[in-house]
Amino acid sequence: EAGVVQSPRYKIIEKKQPVAFWCNPISGHNTLYWYLQNLGQGPELLIRYENEEAVDDSQLPKDRFSAERLKGVDSTLKIQPAELGDSAVYLCASSPGDRGEQYFGPGTRLTVT
Amino acid sequence: AQSVTQLDSQVPVFEEAPVELRCNYSSSVSVYLFWYVQYPNQGLQLLLKYLSGSTLVKGINGFEAEFNKSQTSFHLRKPSVHISDTAEYFCAVSEGYSASKIIFGSGTRLSIRP
């Protein structure tokens, strides 16, 4: 069974440029998460989807960040425009249900110069 | 609101020595507890979880953790570590009886010396 797939693995952009990250969860997992992980810190939730509905986006900076999960499968996280402080690893995870563990992708390391 | 404290940011140990990584949480309700491991340049992987039942939980790679409700702790232990255990370890707590949203600690870097 394939795990959570994320692309790209690495991205370097200049500040004020847009950037997008893609995630394909494990087949059959209805719940999808996007996390932000700063260096030396634990993951922090940005947004959680149940199927195609964003059920928790309270920590998503909506002035520059947006996300979508069309058809309730794969998802895209976008930043526009990127700022220097956005440099971090963006992790995607999926889960089969309420008591299930979260399965993480390898992450996308973003560097904003 | 729930929170997780991992007091040790780094723990160096010699190979084949025992190790304990400490985790304390705060919550006004009953919770689920987790330990995740992150190897370099990889995503997080579940080591073990406490949902209910026995307070001693066994996980993968020889790790175990004990849930102590009175001390609000969930320390991770391994009797004998290997070089391959070098990684970052994260403790996490759920928001109530739902694994849908979990809060991660800041992590403990375990470094194994030969």
Side-chain angles (χ1 to χ4, degrees):
Chain A
E1 179 183 87
V4 176
V5 179
Q6 289 189 250
S7 68
R9 289 295 313 276
Y10 304 92
K11 188 74 176 180
I12 301 174
I13 62 171
E14 294 183 346
K15 61 181 181 181
K16 300 185 181 180
Q17 294 301 307
V19 64
F21 314 125
W22 177 80
C23 172
N24 188 263
I26 293 174
S27 178
H29 284 193
N30 296 328
T31 308
L32 183 146
Y33 307 79
W34 281 104
Y35 288 93
L36 166 70
Q37 186 177 24
N38 287 305
L39 188 65
Q41 298 295 318
E44 300 172 28
L45 181 69
L46 288 172
I47 189 169
R48 173 168 63 98
Y49 283 92
E50 294 292 343
N51 299 304
E52 59 274 357
E53 182 182 359
V55 296
D56 185 352
D57 63 357
S58 57
Q59 301 303 310
L60 189 72
K62 298 180 184 65
D63 57 336
R64 298 184 300 107
F65 286 65
S66 64
E68 60 182 13
R69 191 186 184 195
L70 301 177
K71 300 181 181 180
V73 182
D74 56 351
S75 176
T76 303
L77 177 69
K78 298 178 181 178
I79 308 175
Q80 183 172 8
E83 297 179 352
L84 293 176
D86 296 332
S87 294
V89 175
Y90 292 82
L91 294 166
C92 180
S94 68
S95 172
D98 192 49
R99 289 170 63 91
E101 69 179 88
Q102 295 184 27
Y103 294 79
F104 284 80
T108 296
R109 183 177 298 276
L110 173 67
T111 301
V112 182
T113 64
Chain B
Q2 280 76 0
S3 67
V4 181
T5 302
Q6 293 183 248
L7 291 172
D8 306 306
S9 60
Q10 294 187 58
V11 173
V13 295
F14 287 105
E15 193 173 17
E16 299 184 5
V19 69
E20 178 179 83
L21 305 184
R22 296 181 293 169
C23 173
N24 288 89
Y25 69 94
S26 64
S27 175
S28 57
V29 299
S30 297
V31 297
Y32 295 152
L33 294 158
F34 308 83
W35 275 99
Y36 280 83
V37 60
Q38 187 175 32
Y39 299 104
N41 297 316
Q42 295 186 29
L44 281 71
Q45 178 184 3
L46 183 70
L47 270 180
L48 48 79
K49 60 184 176 184
Y50 172 78
L51 302 181
S52 64
S54 173
T55 57
L56 183 62
V57 181
K58 293 189 182 298
I60 62 171
N61 301 339
F63 284 92
E64 63 181 32
E66 185 158 19
F67 169 55
N68 188 318
K69 188 174 182 179
S70 63
Q71 296 186 4
T72 60
S73 68
F74 191 54
H75 300 332
L76 181 70
R77 302 185 182 99
K78 186 170 183 178
S80 176
V81 295
H82 303 286
I83 291 289
S84 59
D85 293 323
T86 297
E88 191 91 19
Y89 292 80
F90 294 94
C91 182
V93 61
S94 67
E95 283 198 352
Y97 275 149
S98 170
S100 295
K101 183 171 183 177
I102 59 176
I103 308 299
F104 288 89
S106 57
T108 297
R109 182 175 300 276
L110 178 62
S111 59
I112 311 299
R113 302 170 176 174

